[in-house]
Amino acid sequence: MGSWISKQLEPTSAHFTYLILAGFLILYAFLSNVIRNRLFLSEPPLATAVGIIFGPRCLNVINPRGWSWEDVVTMETSRVITSLQVFSVGVSLPKAYFSRHWTSVAMMLVPVMTFSWLITASFIYGILKTKWTTALITAACLSPTDPVLSAAVLQGSKFSNRVPRRLRHLLSAESGCNDGASFPFLYAGLNILIESTTGKTVREWILATILWQCSLGLFIGVVIGVSSNRLLRLAESRSYIDSTAFLSFYLLLAFFSAGIGSTLGVDDFLVAFGAGTGFSFDGWFANKTKSTHLPELLDLLLNSSMFVYFGAIIPWDAYTPGKFTPYITIGRLLAVLLLILLFRRIPVLLALKRFIPDVHTYREALFCGHFGPMGIGGMFLAIEARAQLETGESIPLPSPPRQHRNMAAIEIVWAVVTFVIFGSIMVHGCSVAAISLVGHYSRHQGERAPLLAGEEDPLSGMVHDIGGGDSEPSVSGDEDVSPFLPSFIHSLPLYPGQRVESEKHD
């Protein structure tokens, strides 16, 4: 009887993966309010811990290394999930956000991001004894703020309501833009290492990276988003589309944007972000779907699964000295991680506070400097860098080669990026709990909330009053203004013969 039963069982690695992922998400769903609003934890550190426990390092139940095309799977899953998240950021931002807050976003993307790139490269170069070009490539993977981890920290919890909406929107906008904006930094290092002459390096960087990948990618994304908005409004106004398909359009358009970007070889993330921003330029879709909590649902299902996967693929063996990485040790990597967390963003944001209109106090600058987590987007950039180093193209080998002229750079990039991402997930994922506990015990006994760290009042040292706490004049769905396009675009008919009326709300 026992042998007959054993023949019926199919305990494969893939089947265990489905079981563990679903079991974790079900358990998290049951306890989500307790975890997020009482323990002040987010999904990423918990999901990563699940991946480590059930991964090759511990129980060896989930073992992506045994799957074929591991690097390709990692690259494509991180591409899709990051594209979906930056698309979600574009949709969720207030209307006309960039027309009103472009100075703050530009400061975060240009001087802050450039400083982050160079200071991180300096730490890697000095502590890990790498080549300067290798340090630049590795640092570029760690320069952007990850939208997946940012959303997990800054959205959907009681703590997020204690932060001025103005800052939450700024950090969201930055995280939506800078994964795509990191490509120039990444390819600057790659072109220096790969190209034979300075002239060819500069020409390739300007033509291929700045103009083709970034500029064209953003333009295509905005065109896709605005066109899709008009087409969906036409279909909805004529009852061509039902409610189920209407909701699925959000997800389908995000995947379509990622597909367009990857097929044309342009910047996937800028295509997705431009599409999301263009799609929601009039706030109509946000108004229609604001009660569905669709982004939060996708975050729970897709993002948490990706962090479980990351926990299972952490290359623990790469954190010890090797033939091509003699200076890679746990101690040196911890030093790099600590310095990056302390100096990658905080000093430059404190120094530039008065030039960033949306940052009003030094406490706000400190908060924005700290909440710049590194995550799934950095993992994609690391695989992109490895692919370029291995093959000269954006398609990686199934797994890293054993011998290659760029072997040292290939191994260092993956080891450093995954280690720092792991540290960032744990530090930033638990920061809300730390801030809440410090705030709780810094109060007098009679001023503390009944529950441990249960305070719900606005964080001190930040401006929360009207016009300071919000991203004025309103959030999505309250005004009819485009973030990128001239105002006359809004008066264009959805289809020939339509009578256009002036309207403030849809």
Side-chain angles (χ1 to χ4, degrees):
M1 185 66 178
S3 61
W4 182 87
I5 293 177
S6 64
K7 290 180 180 179
Q8 311 310 310
L9 301 179
E10 298 180 359
T12 65
S13 176
H15 297 168
F16 274 125
T17 302
Y18 310 149
L19 179 64
I20 292 167
L21 280 177
F24 165 70
L25 293 175
I26 289 171
L27 181 61
Y28 181 87
F30 277 130
L31 302 173
S32 57
N33 188 51
V34 174
I35 293 172
R36 292 187 68 86
N37 295 320
R38 294 187 185 178
L39 300 179
F40 300 101
L41 297 175
S42 56
E43 304 98 292
L46 300 176
T48 303
V50 170
I52 294 172
I53 293 170
F54 290 97
R57 189 69 177 180
C58 296
L59 300 180
N60 198 26
V61 177
I62 303 176
N63 187 6
R65 298 177 187 176
W67 306 346
S68 299
W69 299 84
E70 178 193 344
D71 281 5
V72 177
V73 171
T74 303
M75 185 177 199
E76 297 308 323
T77 52
S78 58
R79 181 204 305 276
V80 169
I81 288 177
T82 305
S83 296
L84 178 61
Q85 192 63 57
V86 298
F87 179 88
S88 176
V89 169
V91 170
S92 64
L93 284 174
K95 293 186 304 181
Y97 184 83
F98 288 96
S99 67
R100 292 180 281 108
H101 299 265
W102 67 269
T103 304
S104 295
V105 176
M107 291 297 295
M108 300 296 283
L109 291 179
V110 182
V112 171
M113 199 169 174
T114 302
F115 176 87
S116 300
W117 177 48
L118 294 176
I119 195 69
T120 300
S122 300
F123 295 146
I124 295 170
Y125 174 77
I127 296 176
L128 301 180
K129 311 296 182 183
T130 68
K131 292 182 179 179
W132 180 241
T133 50
T134 302
L136 288 175
I137 294 168
T138 308
C141 302
L142 300 171
S143 58
T145 300
D146 187 67
V148 179
L149 195 52
S150 294
V153 172
L154 295 174
Q155 295 179 11
S157 67
K158 290 182 179 179
F159 176 84
S160 64
N161 294 327
R162 303 180 66 193
V163 180
R165 189 180 298 173
R166 161 178 44 83
L167 294 185
R168 283 184 277 143
H169 287 159
L170 177 61
L171 292 175
S172 292
E174 180 202 7
S175 69
C177 295
N178 65 8
D179 274 292
S182 62
F183 273 64
F185 300 113
L186 177 65
Y187 276 88
L190 286 171
N191 289 339
I192 292 172
L193 184 61
I194 295 173
E195 302 297 344
S196 56
T197 64
T198 302
K200 190 174 181 181
T201 297
V202 174
R203 183 173 65 252
E204 189 71 15
W205 187 73
I206 293 176
L207 293 179
T209 305
I210 301 298
L211 296 180
W212 181 265
Q213 290 188 329
C214 296
S215 301
L216 180 61
L218 182 60
F219 175 77
I220 290 173
V222 173
V223 170
I224 290 173
V226 175
S227 302
S228 299
N229 173 283
R230 291 303 184 186
L231 290 172
L232 185 61
R233 292 186 67 161
L234 169 61
E236 199 267 345
S237 67
R238 294 190 171 185
S239 300
Y240 292 162
I241 187 169
D242 61 25
S243 58
T244 303
F246 186 90
L247 286 177
S248 66
F249 197 88
Y250 175 100
L251 182 61
L252 296 174
L253 186 58
F255 285 144
F256 180 76
S257 302
I260 287 288
S262 56
T263 301
L264 295 180
V266 297
D267 191 328
D268 316 66
F269 303 147
L270 285 181
V271 174
F273 181 72
T277 308
F279 183 58
S280 65
F281 73 87
D282 57 359
W284 173 77
F285 185 82
N287 254 353
K288 292 282 188 179
T289 59
K290 61 185 177 182
S291 62
T292 63
H293 301 288
L294 184 59
E296 292 84 353
L297 176 62
L298 295 176
D299 286 349
L300 178 62
L301 293 177
L302 297 180
N303 298 346
S304 298
S305 299
M306 189 64 200
F307 282 106
V308 172
Y309 177 80
F310 172 74
I313 66 168
I314 293 176
W316 302 102
D317 295 339
Y319 304 148
T320 56
K323 177 181 178 182
F324 299 99
T325 56
Y327 296 101
I328 294 286
T329 64
I330 290 293
R332 289 176 183 265
L333 288 172
L334 285 172
V336 169
L337 172 63
L338 180 62
L339 290 172
I340 288 175
L341 292 175
L342 290 176
F343 298 106
R344 169 173 160 261
R345 286 166 55 93
I346 293 175
V348 67
L349 272 161
L350 291 173
L352 297 177
K353 188 267 300 183
R354 64 162 148 176
F355 301 107
I356 306 175
D358 284 322
V359 179
H360 294 176
T361 68
Y362 283 105
R363 182 75 62 87
E364 293 181 0
L366 180 63
F367 181 87
C368 292
H370 172 70
F371 276 104
M374 298 151 281
I376 303 303
M379 188 164 64
F380 171 86
L381 293 171
I383 296 290
E384 174 85 6
R386 276 174 48 178
Q388 291 288 340
L389 293 170
E390 292 167 359
T391 66
E393 299 177 352
S394 294
I395 302 175
L397 297 174
S399 57
R402 295 185 179 276
Q403 294 291 333
H404 195 281
R405 61 187 179 90
N406 296 321
M407 199 65 206
I410 292 170
E411 292 193 357
I412 288 170
V413 167
W414 188 239
V416 175
V417 170
T418 53
F419 188 89
V420 173
I421 287 175
F422 174 61
S424 178
I425 290 171
M426 295 303 164
V427 170
H428 291 105
C430 298
S431 291
V432 172
I435 293 173
S436 299
L437 285 171
V438 170
H440 180 81
Y441 284 109
S442 64
R443 299 167 184 254
H444 296 296
Q445 186 72 36
E447 298 175 350
R448 296 174 185 172
L451 291 175
L452 180 63
E455 286 75 17
E456 298 183 11
D457 56 316
L459 292 176
S460 62
M462 299 182 180
V463 178
H464 297 270
D465 58 349
I466 296 175
D470 290 340
S471 292
E472 291 298 318
S474 61
V475 296
S476 291
D478 295 332
E479 58 176 350
D480 200 13
V481 182
S482 167
F484 290 120
L485 305 175
S487 58
F488 75 86
I489 289 291
H490 300 274
S491 62
L492 294 177
L494 300 181
Y495 47 87
Q498 182 199 19
R499 184 178 179 181
V500 180
E501 298 178 356
S502 176
E503 58 182 6
K504 187 172 182 70
H505 296 279
D506 292 304

